[in-house]
Amino acid sequence: MVSDRGVRRRRANGEESRRRILDAAVEIAGERGYEGTSIKLVSARCGLPASSIYWHFKDKDELIAAVIERSFGSWLGAMVLPDADDVADPAARERQRVRGLAAQVARSLLESPDFLRLGLMLALERRPEQPTARTVFLRVRQEARERVSAAITELAPELGPEQVELLSLYALAAADGLFIAYQIGGEEVDLLGLFELHAHALIDAVARLRGRPEV
Amino acid sequence: MVSDRGVRRRRANGEESRRRILDAAVEIAGERGYEGTSIKLVSARCGLPASSIYWHFKDKDELIAAVIERSFGSWLGAMVLPDADDVADPAARERQRVRGLAAQVARSLLESPDFLRLGLMLALERRPEQPTARTVFLRVRQEARERVSAAITELAPELGPEQVELLSLYALAAADGLFIAYQIGGEEVDLLGLFELHAHALIDAVARLRGRPEV
Amino acid sequence: MVSDRGVRRRRANGEESRRRILDAAVEIAGERGYEGTSIKLVSARCGLPASSIYWHFKDKDELIAAVIERSFGSWLGAMVLPDADDVADPAARERQRVRGLAAQVARSLLESPDFLRLGLMLALERRPEQPTARTVFLRVRQEARERVSAAITELAPELGPEQVELLSLYALAAADGLFIAYQIGGEEVDLLGLFELHAHALIDAVARLRGRPEV
Amino acid sequence: MVSDRGVRRRRANGEESRRRILDAAVEIAGERGYEGTSIKLVSARCGLPASSIYWHFKDKDELIAAVIERSFGSWLGAMVLPDADDVADPAARERQRVRGLAAQVARSLLESPDFLRLGLMLALERRPEQPTARTVFLRVRQEARERVSAAITELAPELGPEQVELLSLYALAAADGLFIAYQIGGEEVDLLGLFELHAHALIDAVARLRGRPEV
DNA sequence: AATGAATGAGGATTCATTCAT
DNA sequence: AATGAATGAATCCTCATTCAT
């Protein structure tokens, strides 16, 4: 006999099943949000019966939270402020690094946009009982923001902490908006161009704030 | 006549009932998105039985579309590029007008954020059969963008159409992101400050693009 | 056309549907207790779809509570301490009346045992979250006990209140036990004989307590 | 060797695991009845995985039956008609012995009421396929009744067998009822007082039946 | 202009049980 | 002697919608 796959009872392998469930869930939740993600749909997409999903995750809430945890975490790990050693002028070099990061973010969002779409949908909801996934998203997002703040401080050490906070919030928030614009407009939207514009905007903003003492 | 005694006369008033339903629906849909908005919930919030909602609206799809239509339409009507006649220097005047508009938008979003939250949730979803409300939102949004394009052209007539398109998209998209940041962070987020920053970013971007021929 | 019954959409009649649901539920719950009463089973027995049951009752808890309320209430209404005017000797007359009531209770339990079986099952359960039906049962039962206390006071006014309470509790509690014995043993159990014995036991107990002052 | 460090050595000890399962099951089943006792709940309470329960017991039915067998059996073994040799008058001595037994039963029920609560719940249910546990309960109960019959015959040898049967049934059945009253009323119910009353009632009943030939 | 009642489909979740290891 | 993983059937309940009045 060749194999079992696809038809008969496959041998129990918790680790792999969990991964398959998460793979299915991230797609569906990224497309339809929290409510739109039915366990049956996930079950159909991953090939395991609905009741098996409950072996791996306590309930839907925990499943979606795990989706966010895994995908946002791994995404964040991939983002790094790049170097630009080949550029002589320091100001130009920093500009180059910021534009590099912006391009990096833009490209990663073009590749795997599911988790951010899900995260933003969760962030927008205002139910009486917020899903755990929302909290998880906000937490991981906060990490991202701290990284951006650190990068800004590195680039412009003379800025006050409140200015840095405002700038990092603006950087992330506007990026979310650009992403949404791309979600809406599809291929017609020049996401790389928008992020390029945004990188310039940030650099100009840093320069402008540098010139005046914090309020 | 026997009837009506003791009870507040419930005049069969279609117009008012329709309004009550929409009022309830905009709240709930703004909190929970399309899927999260159940007819039963709307019925409970507006006090009319579920079947009455179906007298006024063909189905849920049409109801949510009407919500978007009404609320986004009326919001858009309120947004106008303000004048700043008291400022002498033309460049400074334009800067003043842009900042005025940004403040206007920020304030309006602080007041009634439900419709935009709903709109963005709809925009982010990717289901096989998109709700009509999504289409309606995208249409009204497109109107908004055309207005912004017109304003940019007014401010900087020498820009090429592609540059104007990119700028107007950036203006709107980033504004969405700032709104979301406020949704996430609540009172702690200085929405007016963010929009102020955004206004400057736009003006700087216009200035920068003015300097070079369109790509 | 003759009629609709049995097949097609019957005309909406809330009152009657509610009654049919309760009729089905009292049978099933009397047989299988709270957990054993599935909505699907009730639906099958009463002919209405499960979702229609939820039009009439908020949830299963409320349904079972309504079952207790209706059936125990109507049962209690039927129980009355009978007269025995034709007996000359006062002591013998009271004895006659007590035996008459015991026989009445025994006969009613032979006829419609469902509600008491359900009530006792509910009373025996000890879950963290007790069903409302249990509370309802205990309440109606308390009413029954107050009636018994009143009857005892009428028969033996010189008894102290604590003695009356003990006797009424004993009267009801032992009667429950006799009922259960009949449930277990079926036709072989002489329920009327047991209640006869119980009536004598109560009368003897009253006589015994009369003789001594309350502790 | 690497294994076992840090964890309490979990010796594979069938006997102890079986006991832990039964301990958990008697509690839960005593609280929630047959249907209310889920394998998962038992598993959670005893700390063993659900599949391990199936290693020790064929199915849920057998588990609950074993619960009844163990707990009711051991309870019954502890009940004995006590002696009262220090009392001179034979009639008074018998009375003393009966009251002693009643007190013994009452006290044992105050200590460990779970098994009787479960047994009575099982006895009350009327499902198409009765659980084995019910049969087991009825069997052990029948043993108890035979003991009571024997004791009555010892006390009053002149009673006919049908009278003895009626009396033993009344003795047990009413005792069940008193137990339930205690379950309902909790600490406020004077279970010992009720059993005292019941002992007197039985003695009086024996005396009364002694006086007349069997019907 | 409205509404009480009904309804099939689908929601999340738990059930008792089995099987491979 | 035990257990992690899996599974189909059943659980309670909500869904959007319709229909007769």
Side-chain angles (χ1 to χ4, degrees):
Chain A
M1 188 182 47
V2 181
S3 113
D4 264 356
R5 65 191 154 98
V7 185
R8 288 271 75 193
R9 179 189 299 278
R10 55 200 114 233
R11 74 195 179 87
N13 183 341
E15 213 52 55
E16 212 226 305
S17 293
R18 196 187 143 94
R19 196 177 42 68
R20 277 168 54 204
I21 294 167
L22 284 172
D23 288 346
V26 74
E27 279 182 43
I28 295 169
E31 283 162 9
R32 316 165 80 116
Y34 188 91
E35 294 262 357
T37 302
S38 85
I39 297 293
K40 201 175 190 178
L41 220 48
V42 175
S43 151
R45 181 112 47 156
C46 74
L48 289 161
S51 49
S52 290
I53 297 177
Y54 284 88
W55 171 261
H56 294 275
F57 302 94
K58 189 170 89 39
D59 54 19
K60 178 172 158 175
D61 193 55
E62 199 180 74
L63 168 62
I64 308 288
V67 162
I68 288 284
E69 187 85 53
R70 189 187 69 160
S71 52
F72 207 170
S74 79
W75 176 83
L76 192 57
M79 293 299 109
V80 285
L81 188 62
D83 265 328
D85 295 323
D86 50 337
V87 181
D89 173 37
R93 187 166 65 233
E94 295 314 326
R95 182 167 291 259
Q96 196 54 37
R97 293 179 70 195
V98 170
R99 292 172 65 190
L101 181 56
Q104 199 180 125
V105 170
R107 256 179 273 121
S108 74
L109 294 181
L110 288 170
E111 270 173 41
S112 57
D114 280 339
F115 81 93
L116 185 54
R117 212 158 44 207
L118 170 58
L120 292 176
M121 283 190 261
L122 286 166
L124 283 165
E125 284 180 5
R126 291 273 127 139
R127 328 174 165 252
E129 294 190 14
Q130 296 289 6
T132 308
R134 190 180 193 262
T135 312
V136 173
F137 174 75
L138 298 188
R139 169 164 51 76
V140 193
R141 188 185 179 74
Q142 183 58 25
E143 279 181 49
R145 184 156 162 218
E146 277 156 22
R147 287 215 205 174
V148 172
S149 290
I152 292 174
T153 305
E154 190 191 328
L155 298 175
E158 68 273 39
L159 288 178
E162 289 198 12
Q163 291 177 319
V164 170
E165 288 305 296
L166 190 68
L167 281 170
S168 69
L169 184 54
Y170 181 68
L172 254 72
D176 290 334
L178 304 186
F179 170 73
I180 294 175
Y182 168 66
Q183 291 303 312
I184 294 175
E187 301 298 317
E188 292 172 34
V189 168
D190 175 16
L191 188 61
L192 286 160
L194 284 170
F195 267 87
E196 174 87 354
L197 206 54
H198 188 40
H200 281 297
L202 288 171
I203 291 158
D204 288 356
V206 168
R208 196 181 326 112
L209 290 175
R210 248 173 179 162
R212 43 169 163 162
E214 189 158 2
V215 186
Chain B
M1 189 182 46
V2 182
S3 70
D4 265 337
R5 59 189 159 105
V7 205
R8 187 170 307 284
R9 167 182 293 271
R10 189 182 295 199
R11 266 206 293 142
N13 184 337
E15 212 50 55
E16 212 228 306
S17 292
R18 194 187 145 94
R19 196 179 43 68
R20 276 167 59 199
I21 294 166
L22 284 172
D23 288 347
V26 74
E27 277 182 43
I28 293 170
E31 285 163 8
R32 314 165 82 117
Y34 188 90
E35 293 262 358
T37 302
S38 83
I39 298 293
K40 198 182 188 181
L41 220 48
V42 175
S43 150
R45 181 113 49 157
C46 75
L48 293 163
S51 48
S52 292
I53 296 176
Y54 281 87
W55 197 91
H56 290 278
F57 303 93
K58 185 173 131 301
D59 54 18
K60 177 174 159 175
D61 195 56
E62 197 178 76
L63 169 63
I64 307 289
V67 163
I68 287 286
E69 188 85 54
R70 188 187 71 159
S71 52
F72 207 172
S74 78
W75 177 82
L76 192 56
M79 294 299 108
V80 285
L81 188 63
D83 266 328
D85 294 324
D86 50 338
V87 181
D89 173 37
R93 187 167 65 233
E94 295 314 328
R95 183 167 290 258
Q96 196 57 37
R97 293 180 68 195
V98 170
R99 292 171 66 190
L101 180 55
Q104 199 180 125
V105 170
R107 259 179 270 119
S108 75
L109 294 181
L110 288 171
E111 270 173 41
S112 57
D114 279 340
F115 80 95
L116 185 53
R117 214 158 42 207
L118 170 58
L120 291 176
M121 283 189 261
L122 286 167
L124 282 166
E125 285 179 6
R126 289 273 128 142
R127 22 187 113 229
E129 294 190 15
Q130 297 288 8
T132 310
R134 190 179 194 262
T135 313
V136 173
F137 174 75
L138 298 187
R139 169 165 49 75
V140 192
R141 187 182 178 76
Q142 184 56 26
E143 281 181 46
R145 183 160 163 212
E146 278 157 20
R147 289 214 206 172
V148 172
S149 290
I152 291 172
T153 305
E154 190 191 329
L155 296 175
E158 67 273 39
L159 288 177
E162 289 199 12
Q163 291 176 319
V164 170
E165 288 306 296
L166 191 68
L167 282 169
S168 70
L169 184 54
Y170 181 68
L172 255 71
D176 290 335
L178 305 187
F179 170 73
I180 294 174
Y182 169 66
Q183 291 303 313
I184 292 175
E187 301 298 317
E188 290 173 36
V189 168
D190 175 16
L191 188 60
L192 287 161
L194 285 170
F195 267 87
E196 173 86 353
L197 207 56
H198 189 40
H200 281 298
L202 288 172
I203 291 158
D204 287 357
V206 168
R208 196 181 326 112
L209 290 176
R210 250 174 177 162
R212 44 171 166 163
E214 190 157 4
V215 187
Chain C
M1 188 180 50
V2 181
S3 113
D4 262 357
R5 64 189 155 103
V7 187
R8 287 272 76 193
R9 177 188 300 277
R10 52 199 115 233
R11 72 198 180 87
N13 182 342
E15 214 53 54
E16 212 226 307
S17 293
R18 199 187 139 93
R19 197 176 43 67
R20 277 169 52 206
I21 294 166
L22 284 173
D23 288 346
V26 74
E27 279 182 42
I28 294 169
E31 284 164 8
R32 315 164 80 117
Y34 188 91
E35 294 261 357
T37 302
S38 85
I39 297 293
K40 200 176 191 178
L41 220 48
V42 175
S43 152
R45 180 113 46 155
C46 75
L48 289 162
S51 49
S52 291
I53 297 178
Y54 285 90
W55 170 260
H56 294 276
F57 302 93
K58 189 169 89 40
D59 54 18
K60 179 173 156 175
D61 193 56
E62 199 180 74
L63 169 62
I64 307 288
V67 162
I68 288 284
E69 187 87 52
R70 188 187 71 159
S71 51
F72 206 172
S74 79
W75 176 81
L76 192 56
M79 293 299 108
V80 285
L81 187 63
D83 266 327
D85 295 324
D86 49 339
V87 180
D89 173 36
R93 188 166 66 232
E94 293 317 326
R95 181 168 291 260
Q96 196 55 39
R97 294 178 69 194
V98 170
R99 292 171 65 192
L101 180 55
Q104 201 180 122
V105 170
R107 256 179 271 118
S108 75
L109 294 180
L110 287 170
E111 269 173 41
S112 57
D114 281 340
F115 80 94
L116 185 53
R117 212 158 43 207
L118 171 58
L120 291 176
M121 283 189 263
L122 287 166
L124 282 167
E125 284 180 6
R126 292 270 128 141
R127 323 170 169 256
E129 295 190 11
Q130 296 289 6
T132 309
R134 189 179 193 261
T135 312
V136 173
F137 175 74
L138 298 188
R139 170 165 50 75
V140 193
R141 187 184 178 74
Q142 183 57 26
E143 280 182 46
R145 181 158 164 216
E146 278 157 21
R147 288 218 205 174
V148 172
S149 290
I152 291 173
T153 305
E154 191 191 328
L155 297 176
E158 67 274 39
L159 289 178
E162 289 199 10
Q163 290 177 320
V164 169
E165 288 305 297
L166 190 69
L167 282 169
S168 70
L169 184 53
Y170 181 69
L172 253 73
D176 290 335
L178 306 186
F179 170 73
I180 293 174
Y182 168 66
Q183 291 303 312
I184 292 175
E187 300 299 318
E188 291 172 35
V189 168
D190 176 16
L191 188 61
L192 287 161
L194 283 171
F195 266 87
E196 173 85 357
L197 206 55
H198 189 39
H200 282 298
L202 288 172
I203 290 158
D204 287 357
V206 168
R208 196 180 328 111
L209 290 176
R210 250 174 176 161
R212 45 171 166 161
E214 189 156 5
V215 187
Chain D
M1 190 184 43
V2 182
S3 70
D4 264 337
R5 61 191 158 101
V7 204
R8 189 170 308 282
R9 168 183 293 273
R10 189 180 296 198
R11 266 208 290 142
N13 183 335
E15 213 49 55
E16 213 228 302
S17 291
R18 195 187 143 94
R19 194 177 46 66
R20 276 166 60 199
I21 295 167
L22 284 172
D23 287 348
V26 73
E27 278 183 44
I28 294 170
E31 284 163 7
R32 317 164 79 116
Y34 187 90
E35 293 262 357
T37 302
S38 84
I39 298 294
K40 197 182 187 180
L41 219 48
V42 174
S43 150
R45 181 115 46 159
C46 73
L48 293 163
S51 48
S52 292
I53 296 177
Y54 280 88
W55 196 90
H56 291 278
F57 302 93
K58 188 171 128 303
D59 55 17
K60 177 175 161 176
D61 194 55
E62 197 179 75
L63 168 62
I64 309 287
V67 163
I68 287 285
E69 187 86 54
R70 188 186 71 157
S71 53
F72 208 171
S74 78
W75 177 82
L76 191 57
M79 294 299 108
V80 285
L81 187 61
D83 265 329
D85 294 324
D86 50 336
V87 181
D89 173 35
R93 188 167 66 232
E94 295 315 328
R95 183 166 289 258
Q96 195 57 36
R97 293 179 69 196
V98 170
R99 292 171 66 189
L101 180 56
Q104 199 180 126
V105 170
R107 256 179 272 119
S108 75
L109 294 180
L110 287 171
E111 270 172 41
S112 58
D114 279 339
F115 80 93
L116 184 54
R117 213 157 45 205
L118 169 58
L120 292 176
M121 284 190 260
L122 286 167
L124 282 166
E125 283 181 5
R126 291 272 126 138
R127 23 187 109 228
E129 295 189 13
Q130 296 289 9
T132 309
R134 190 179 193 261
T135 313
V136 173
F137 175 75
L138 298 188
R139 168 164 51 75
V140 192
R141 188 185 177 73
Q142 183 56 28
E143 278 181 48
R145 184 161 163 210
E146 277 156 21
R147 287 215 206 174
V148 173
S149 290
I152 292 174
T153 305
E154 190 191 329
L155 297 176
E158 68 274 38
L159 288 178
E162 288 199 13
Q163 290 177 318
V164 170
E165 289 305 297
L166 191 68
L167 281 169
S168 70
L169 184 54
Y170 181 68
L172 253 71
D176 289 336
L178 305 187
F179 170 73
I180 294 175
Y182 169 65
Q183 291 303 312
I184 293 176
E187 300 298 316
E188 291 173 35
V189 168
D190 175 16
L191 188 60
L192 286 161
L194 284 170
F195 266 87
E196 173 87 352
L197 207 56
H198 189 39
H200 282 297
L202 288 172
I203 290 159
D204 288 356
V206 169
R208 197 182 325 111
L209 289 176
R210 250 174 177 160
R212 45 171 162 159
E214 188 158 4
V215 186

